[in-house]
Amino acid sequence: MSVPDLIPYHFVTTDINHWYVVIKQGRIEKAKEMKRKVENEFNKMEKNEKVAVYLQLLKLRHEIMLSYLEPDSVKDIDSVFEGLKETRENLAPESLTNTIEFYFHFFTGMYHFRTRDLVIALTYYREAERYLDLLDENANTDKAEFYFKVSEVYYYMKETHFSMNYAQRAYAIFKRQKDDKGNLTYGKEMVHCQFVIFGNWLDKMCYEEALETAEKALKDAVKIGEQHLIGSAHFNVGLCYNHLEELDNAEKHFQIAYEIHKAQKHIYESKAVFNLAYVKAKQNDLQAALKLYEEGKKIAERHNNQEVAEKLKLVKGLYLSFDLQTLREVFEFFREKNLYGDMEEYAVAVADFLTNKEKRHDAVDFYQLAIEARKQIQRGKHLNEKM
């Protein structure tokens, strides 16, 4: 190809930016179309190191999007990540712009968050935050997305104050984004922020505020009309009723969430089936719980969701086969993954169950696990670890 036939790199950059927009919007088919277009253009483009690394960055972000919205189509996310690292390492120092460094650390954090390697994810997010104020002044939605992702990590670490703060900052930015007619342009993202805020109210045991936030998010999700968003909203309402021990209401909303996510083969299908199985077991409907447990194992394996695979063992070890060794394996997993919030919540549940069964000696072990988890959360030890 002669030099005059080469596509100017700024044309490709424009399409890369468009690709990123549709990725953030979760428009799967349009994102796939833009990916094909950009890759084709890149092969005909004049050489440019920055565009090369932007392309690799967006490939990873594309795969991360698919891992949530269309997980069965994700085949090579690990190789895409390795390719990004190699491209960045070979980049000339003068080409490592603030924007590239922000996206690299931000997307790498997202890559590790999806496998619940929370400490690693947070470490990369912290590095990304160093570049946040150096971005273009028009990068408000990038900042909002970043704040939201950080709020998720802190939520899973049960750092409630930090999580709530970041989620509210993200919500405020998204709420200001409107089209020419004054309509909200980031309604879905606002609902996602409400989900995190709801979860933090729940962790603070402020159940009235939690239920109010969850039900508002459900109404907003119904207005938007996206099924996976509606399913997630029902799931959160179910969580609230579960904590209120209103098991029939919890079951109803978990069942709706499970049916919606199952139909779409969404990654949250695995979370829904675990919680539905857990509630069924608590209702002493062990036949239904066993069926859901078996379904859940297959779903967790299909989604490569180790967290849910381990949590399903709670249903088995506590209700279906009463196996304390299986339960202890689950809590060792929580400890290894720094999931101290889950460790505390389920340790108390197991200990209370054992106490009611007059197995007080075994119950003490699990109460001690809950105390250990609470100490870890209060000390913030897991936030100070290094990669």
Side-chain angles (χ1 to χ4, degrees):
M1 182 180 296
S2 64
V3 173
D5 294 331
L6 292 175
I7 299 175
Y9 68 82
H10 62 271
F11 287 157
V12 183
T13 301
T14 299
D15 282 336
I16 288 177
N17 291 335
H18 184 198
W19 180 22
Y20 187 28
V21 169
V22 296
I23 287 174
K24 289 191 290 185
Q25 293 172 340
R27 296 165 57 190
I28 296 175
E29 294 307 317
K30 186 62 177 179
K32 290 179 179 179
E33 176 188 327
M34 289 303 304
K35 181 176 184 289
R36 289 191 295 268
K37 181 180 181 183
V38 167
E39 288 176 333
N40 181 57
E41 290 174 341
F42 182 76
N43 291 330
K44 302 174 183 177
M45 186 195 79
E46 57 187 338
K47 185 176 180 181
N48 184 283
E49 283 189 325
K50 292 180 184 178
V51 176
V53 75
Y54 277 126
L55 176 62
Q56 291 297 106
L57 283 164
L58 265 293
K59 282 184 178 180
L60 177 62
R61 184 66 180 85
H62 182 95
E63 292 298 308
I64 292 171
M65 173 199 68
L66 291 179
S67 72
Y68 288 101
L69 301 181
E70 196 179 75
D72 290 348
S73 69
V74 178
K75 307 296 182 185
D76 60 349
I77 189 169
D78 295 329
S79 62
V80 171
F81 178 58
E82 292 301 321
L84 168 60
K85 289 198 297 183
E86 182 179 353
T87 301
R88 176 176 172 269
E89 287 168 2
N90 293 329
L91 202 63
E94 61 271 16
S95 295
L96 280 174
T97 65
N98 292 326
T99 303
I100 287 175
E101 287 293 80
F102 168 74
Y103 284 137
F104 173 77
H105 290 96
F106 183 26
F107 296 168
T108 301
M110 293 172 67
Y111 170 80
H112 288 290
F113 175 77
R114 51 180 285 280
T115 54
R116 293 297 183 266
D117 292 311
L118 302 181
V119 173
I120 298 175
L122 183 59
T123 302
Y124 277 105
Y125 285 160
R126 282 175 163 172
E127 188 65 22
E129 195 163 17
R130 293 177 54 224
Y131 298 93
L132 198 61
D133 290 334
L134 303 176
L135 300 180
D136 186 275
E137 60 182 10
N138 296 318
N140 281 331
T141 55
D142 283 342
K143 290 182 179 181
E145 185 185 30
F146 174 79
Y147 291 146
F148 170 72
K149 292 298 181 182
V150 175
S151 77
E152 282 188 310
V153 171
Y154 279 128
Y155 168 70
Y156 277 93
M157 287 180 162
K158 301 308 176 186
E159 291 289 335
T160 305
H161 173 75
F162 290 114
S163 178
M164 188 80 85
N165 178 269
Y166 276 99
Q168 289 172 337
R169 289 162 74 181
Y171 185 87
I173 294 174
F174 285 133
K175 191 175 182 179
R176 292 197 297 267
Q177 311 306 310
K178 298 179 180 180
D179 62 20
D180 295 338
K181 297 181 180 179
N183 299 314
L184 293 169
T185 53
Y186 285 89
K188 290 187 297 183
E189 289 76 10
M190 291 169 63
V191 171
H192 286 140
C193 292
Q194 288 175 311
F195 288 168
V196 175
I197 293 168
F198 149 78
N200 283 293
W201 282 128
L202 204 62
D203 288 343
K204 289 162 67 76
M205 293 186 288
C206 299
Y207 298 126
E208 183 177 336
E209 292 88 345
L211 187 57
E212 181 182 346
T213 303
E215 289 181 335
K216 182 181 186 307
L218 176 57
K219 290 178 182 178
D220 291 344
V222 170
K223 289 178 184 177
I224 293 169
E226 288 202 2
Q227 287 300 300
H228 78 271
L229 204 63
I230 296 171
S232 296
H234 276 290
F235 177 84
N236 288 340
V237 175
L239 277 181
C240 196
Y241 280 122
N242 183 44
H243 280 270
L244 290 167
E245 291 298 324
E246 296 185 28
L247 298 184
D248 289 343
N249 282 329
E251 177 198 352
K252 179 181 71 175
H253 287 282
F254 284 147
Q255 185 70 52
I256 295 171
Y258 178 44
E259 289 172 0
I260 290 174
H261 291 321
K262 184 178 181 180
Q264 294 194 319
K265 296 184 178 179
H266 192 279
I267 191 170
Y268 291 162
E269 174 188 8
S270 49
K271 289 202 308 182
V273 72
F274 159 68
N275 281 275
L276 184 57
Y278 190 48
V279 166
K280 286 287 190 182
K282 287 167 70 174
Q283 291 174 312
N284 204 34
D285 189 350
L286 298 185
Q287 185 176 355
L290 176 59
K291 181 180 178 182
L292 289 164
Y293 166 77
E294 296 294 344
E295 286 181 20
K297 285 199 301 181
K298 295 176 183 177
I299 292 167
E301 182 179 359
R302 173 156 51 84
H303 291 308
N304 192 28
N305 193 326
Q306 187 183 6
E307 180 183 344
V308 167
E310 291 295 324
K311 284 183 177 179
L312 282 164
K313 292 180 182 178
L314 290 170
V315 177
K316 179 183 179 182
L318 202 57
Y319 295 99
L320 301 179
S321 63
F322 193 69
D323 183 347
L324 292 181
Q325 181 55 38
T326 295
L327 293 176
R328 290 189 174 96
E329 291 173 2
V330 177
F331 287 96
E332 185 57 34
F333 170 80
F334 289 155
R335 183 185 285 112
E336 290 175 357
K337 290 290 187 179
N338 299 293
L339 294 171
Y340 292 116
D342 285 330
M343 184 173 170
E344 180 187 26
E345 176 185 346
Y346 291 112
V348 171
V350 171
D352 288 348
F353 180 90
L354 294 173
T355 299
N356 292 334
K357 293 290 185 181
E358 298 188 354
K359 295 184 178 294
R360 293 182 176 83
H361 179 74
D362 292 318
V364 168
D365 292 340
F366 288 94
Y367 282 129
Q368 288 178 335
L369 284 173
I371 292 170
E372 175 192 342
R374 171 50 43 185
K375 287 180 177 178
Q376 294 286 4
I377 293 169
Q378 290 175 339
R379 291 172 181 168
K381 177 181 177 181
H382 51 291
L383 300 181
N384 297 321
E385 296 178 19
K386 302 298 182 182
M387 286 189 294

